[in-house]
Amino acid sequence: MVKEVIKGNFATAVAAKLARAEVIPAYPITPSTLFPEQISEFVNNGEMKCEYIPVESEHSAMSACIGAAACGVRTCTATSSQGLALMHEMLFIASGMRLPIVMPVANRALSAPINIWGDHSDTMAERDVGWLHFYAQTNQECIDLTLVAFKVSENKKVLLPSMIGLDAFVLTHTMEPVDVPEQDKVDAFLPKYESPYCWLDPARPMTIGSFATPEYYMEFKLAEEMAMERSSAVIDEVFEDFEKRFGRKYQKVVGYKTEDADVIMVMIGSMFGTAKAAVDNLRKKGIKAGLVKMTVYRPFPTKELYALVKSAKVVAIVERAYSYGHGGPLFADVSGAFYNMEKKPMMLNYIIGLGGRDIVPKDFETIYDKVKPSMETGKARMRVEWINVNEEAVKEAEGL
Amino acid sequence: MADKEYFASGHRGCAGCGMASAVRTILNAAGPNTIVANATGCLEVMTTGYPESAWEVPWIHAAFENAAAVASGVEAGLKARGRREGVNLFAFAGDGGTFDIGIQALSGMLERGHKICYVCYDNEAYMNTGIQRSASTPFGASTTTSPAGSVIPGKTQRKKPIAAIVAAHDIPYTATANIAYPLDLEKKVKKALSVDGPSFIQVMCPCVPGWGIPSEKSMEIARLAIETGVFILWDLEGADFKNIKITKLPPKPRKPVLDYLKVQSRFKHLVDKPDLIEKIQKEVDEKCKMYGID
Ligand SMILES: Cc1ncc(C[n+]2csc(CCOP(=O)(O)OP(=O)(O)O)c2C)c(N)n1
Ligand SMILES: [Mg+2]
């Protein structure tokens, strides 16, 4: 293995190269731009053999991915924020056609106001489109999870597209040491893609993307859901295989000091590293705090998550996205998933780090302070709270 | 006529559907080694009601505005596995999917130089969704979103000159065609497939319900569009309009536009408005002059 100090974006481009992606249509958007830049550099320097399509929009990027993947070739793109939103329509079509496209997404806030910094609003708004969702915490995970995603997506039991979230700037633009896997090892892990169907072959004409009446539509959609459910076991298998070959262990959910914890904070992405420092601090003060990071978000790992948090008094969902008029999307998912469990912890929701607002260890101690009265009384005081906002500036934003 | 048909009968198109006739001519001209990327619209809906299909060639439909982008991806996919040679790759889209919502993807495809033959079957409105106006709908036509009202008599804007816009991209081959001239269409398809790069064919296809015409008259009315000079048949290699070839001249003198308008109910509110008829006639005269027909 070669140790390289690289940015998260570069890591995803390297993963696409190692995976020998055959078609890459892509369109630049901060903070994902390095991906199309890097791929075109690889291609123009002869380091990578791939059909790179410099499309005129993200909508066309995903459309071209669909056309290419329907030819049974390994297909990949990358985007962020507005670009992902522009693809929205085509994301359903990629999954509906069961095309194993892989897409790293640099997680960035959505306009308005326009903001190029990190949060999870973009991918969270795409959680119902039938794609698998992975989230990276480090640049190492950017590379590894992209490779894993190809293998899971292309599995015959799955055949669904995957997106891999990586936090804007914190991962995309930050240099970290990464073990770059060797090409021959990746080739063995991820052999040339052989599509199970003979798609778009004049020798065997096939109609793809036809018109389905109410008589047929639901069966297609349930079949998609069954594939999503099957993907759960496939992810475990692929993680195991990956660990054997590359020595790095992955799990759908990862716990930190959860065993005896009274309060467990559940989160996604790079803030897990920051939160660990906070938990260590809290532990020093004798507070039993723990953490869970979700590496896989779709399919939703209910069983694995529940096993980690079920004994806690409070589960605090700390997230970088919001569903206006309700609360955080992860909070809604976790509460929904646990609703019928016999024993369930109290669940509280904390919104943090929208639009790139800094997330520091102290924020998690603040969250603990907010959780404490609810935990002590056994009654949830506030279901959702926003952390670190300036009340005066909110009034100004409202024009009051 | 081809020995084998690639567009099967039994699809759900209306009797007299112009587009069905165009597609049949085009596929038969192209032959078996063909792949089609189709935009949402009448063509997709009437030919692929699951679990049936009228397509005897590989066919993909993704959405309304992106046939050009999907086809670009198909081309790349074929190339990636060395399967591009000998395959005729088409994008098919209606006027809505081409003039309006799909023009960006189309322009991108042209600029990038994909070897794709893009066919716009032009029935001059959004027919699939119930006859709404498009940028292709001609001046004065009544549609459900440009109705002939007591104050505003149908569409107030003119038809977008899409083929000229496409040709301005300086692609190898651009043509206009019309279902009433199938041999001309066939020739243009073969030419389009022979060039090394993007090609574009706009085929005028009357729509029986959309134009308000009897089903047995669609060929006749398509021909009238040429004979009156309302629609001009031409082709061009590259972007220098000095090299344009008019492939079918209207008779001399051209028939009056009223002959074309009065047989279609989408124009029936104009028939007793001589000033508007005159305006349309004048514009057709000017266009014919511009194309060097008169
Ligand atoms: C993004 C999007 N907007 C709107 C529609 C609804 N729609 C489907 S087909 C169509 C009109 C198609 O018109 P045209 O391209 O001229 O083809 P035709 O139906 O006339 O054959 C519209 C508006 C859609 N499917 N997708
Ligand atoms: Mg139309």
Short mmCIF file of all heavy atoms in Angstrom, two decimals, chain A residues 275-294:
data_model
loop_
_atom_site.label_atom_id
_atom_site.label_comp_id
_atom_site.label_asym_id
_atom_site.label_seq_id
_atom_site.Cartn_x
_atom_site.Cartn_y
_atom_site.Cartn_z
N ALA A 275 -16.48 14.92 17.71
CA ALA A 275 -17.31 14.54 18.84
C ALA A 275 -16.58 13.59 19.78
O ALA A 275 -16.82 13.59 21.00
CB ALA A 275 -18.61 13.92 18.34
N LYS A 276 -15.68 12.79 19.24
CA LYS A 276 -14.92 11.86 20.09
C LYS A 276 -14.14 12.63 21.16
O LYS A 276 -14.12 12.23 22.33
CB LYS A 276 -13.93 11.07 19.24
CG LYS A 276 -14.52 9.82 18.62
CD LYS A 276 -13.39 9.11 17.87
CE LYS A 276 -13.87 7.80 17.29
NZ LYS A 276 -12.83 7.22 16.40
N ALA A 277 -13.54 13.73 20.73
CA ALA A 277 -12.77 14.54 21.68
C ALA A 277 -13.70 15.04 22.79
O ALA A 277 -13.33 15.06 23.97
CB ALA A 277 -12.12 15.71 20.95
N ALA A 278 -14.92 15.43 22.41
CA ALA A 278 -15.88 15.93 23.40
C ALA A 278 -16.27 14.81 24.37
O ALA A 278 -16.37 15.03 25.58
CB ALA A 278 -17.11 16.48 22.69
N VAL A 279 -16.49 13.62 23.83
CA VAL A 279 -16.88 12.50 24.69
C VAL A 279 -15.76 12.18 25.68
O VAL A 279 -16.01 11.93 26.86
CB VAL A 279 -17.25 11.27 23.84
CG1 VAL A 279 -17.24 9.99 24.68
CG2 VAL A 279 -18.63 11.47 23.22
N ASP A 280 -14.52 12.22 25.20
CA ASP A 280 -13.40 11.97 26.10
C ASP A 280 -13.40 12.97 27.24
O ASP A 280 -13.17 12.62 28.40
CB ASP A 280 -12.07 12.03 25.32
CG ASP A 280 -11.95 10.87 24.34
OD1 ASP A 280 -12.73 9.90 24.48
OD2 ASP A 280 -11.09 10.93 23.44
N ASN A 281 -13.67 14.21 26.91
CA ASN A 281 -13.75 15.27 27.92
C ASN A 281 -14.86 15.01 28.92
O ASN A 281 -14.68 15.12 30.13
CB ASN A 281 -14.03 16.61 27.23
CG ASN A 281 -12.82 17.52 27.32
OD1 ASN A 281 -11.90 17.25 28.09
ND2 ASN A 281 -12.85 18.58 26.54
N LEU A 282 -16.05 14.69 28.38
CA LEU A 282 -17.20 14.42 29.25
C LEU A 282 -16.91 13.23 30.17
O LEU A 282 -17.26 13.24 31.35
CB LEU A 282 -18.45 14.15 28.40
CG LEU A 282 -19.04 15.37 27.68
CD1 LEU A 282 -20.09 14.94 26.65
CD2 LEU A 282 -19.67 16.36 28.68
N ARG A 283 -16.28 12.22 29.60
CA ARG A 283 -15.96 11.03 30.39
C ARG A 283 -15.03 11.39 31.55
O ARG A 283 -15.17 10.85 32.65
CB ARG A 283 -15.29 9.97 29.50
CG ARG A 283 -16.27 9.30 28.54
CD ARG A 283 -16.82 8.03 29.14
NE ARG A 283 -17.93 7.49 28.36
CZ ARG A 283 -18.64 6.42 28.71
NH1 ARG A 283 -18.37 5.77 29.83
NH2 ARG A 283 -19.64 6.00 27.99
N LYS A 284 -14.09 12.33 31.27
CA LYS A 284 -13.18 12.77 32.33
C LYS A 284 -13.95 13.38 33.48
O LYS A 284 -13.54 13.31 34.64
CB LYS A 284 -12.17 13.78 31.77
CG LYS A 284 -10.91 13.11 31.22
CD LYS A 284 -9.87 14.15 30.80
CE LYS A 284 -9.12 13.67 29.57
NZ LYS A 284 -8.87 14.73 28.61
N LYS A 285 -15.07 14.01 33.15
CA LYS A 285 -15.90 14.63 34.19
C LYS A 285 -16.86 13.61 34.82
O LYS A 285 -17.77 13.99 35.54
CB LYS A 285 -16.72 15.77 33.58
CG LYS A 285 -15.88 16.93 33.07
CD LYS A 285 -16.80 18.05 32.56
CE LYS A 285 -16.07 18.96 31.61
NZ LYS A 285 -16.99 19.79 30.81
N GLY A 286 -16.71 12.36 34.42
CA GLY A 286 -17.56 11.32 34.99
C GLY A 286 -18.91 11.17 34.31
O GLY A 286 -19.79 10.48 34.79
N ILE A 287 -19.06 11.82 33.18
CA ILE A 287 -20.33 11.74 32.46
C ILE A 287 -20.28 10.59 31.47
O ILE A 287 -19.33 10.47 30.69
CB ILE A 287 -20.62 13.08 31.74
CG1 ILE A 287 -20.84 14.17 32.79
CG2 ILE A 287 -21.83 12.95 30.82
CD1 ILE A 287 -20.68 15.56 32.26
N LYS A 288 -21.30 9.76 31.51
CA LYS A 288 -21.29 8.58 30.65
C LYS A 288 -21.91 8.93 29.30
O LYS A 288 -23.11 8.77 29.08
CB LYS A 288 -22.06 7.45 31.31
CG LYS A 288 -21.32 6.85 32.49
CD LYS A 288 -22.10 5.66 32.97
CE LYS A 288 -21.62 5.12 34.29
NZ LYS A 288 -22.65 4.23 34.86
N ALA A 289 -21.05 9.44 28.43
CA ALA A 289 -21.51 9.80 27.08
C ALA A 289 -20.89 8.85 26.06
O ALA A 289 -19.79 8.33 26.28
CB ALA A 289 -21.12 11.23 26.76
N GLY A 290 -21.60 8.63 24.98
CA GLY A 290 -21.08 7.79 23.89
C GLY A 290 -21.52 8.34 22.55
O GLY A 290 -22.30 9.31 22.48
N LEU A 291 -21.03 7.70 21.50
CA LEU A 291 -21.31 8.20 20.15
C LEU A 291 -21.62 7.07 19.20
O LEU A 291 -21.13 5.96 19.38
CB LEU A 291 -20.07 8.89 19.56
CG LEU A 291 -19.51 10.14 20.19
CD1 LEU A 291 -18.28 10.54 19.38
CD2 LEU A 291 -20.55 11.24 20.18
N VAL A 292 -22.38 7.38 18.17
CA VAL A 292 -22.55 6.45 17.06
C VAL A 292 -22.42 7.23 15.76
O VAL A 292 -22.99 8.31 15.62
CB VAL A 292 -23.92 5.73 17.10
CG1 VAL A 292 -24.15 4.96 15.82
CG2 VAL A 292 -23.99 4.79 18.29
N LYS A 293 -21.68 6.66 14.84
CA LYS A 293 -21.57 7.24 13.50
C LYS A 293 -22.27 6.30 12.53
O LYS A 293 -22.11 5.08 12.61
CB LYS A 293 -20.09 7.36 13.15
CG LYS A 293 -19.80 7.41 11.67
CD LYS A 293 -18.31 7.50 11.39
CE LYS A 293 -17.68 6.13 11.19
NZ LYS A 293 -16.38 6.19 10.50
N MET A 294 -23.02 6.87 11.62
CA MET A 294 -23.67 6.05 10.60
C MET A 294 -22.86 6.13 9.31
O MET A 294 -22.79 7.17 8.69
CB MET A 294 -25.09 6.53 10.37
CG MET A 294 -25.90 6.46 11.66
SD MET A 294 -27.65 6.63 11.41
CE MET A 294 -27.99 5.36 10.23
#
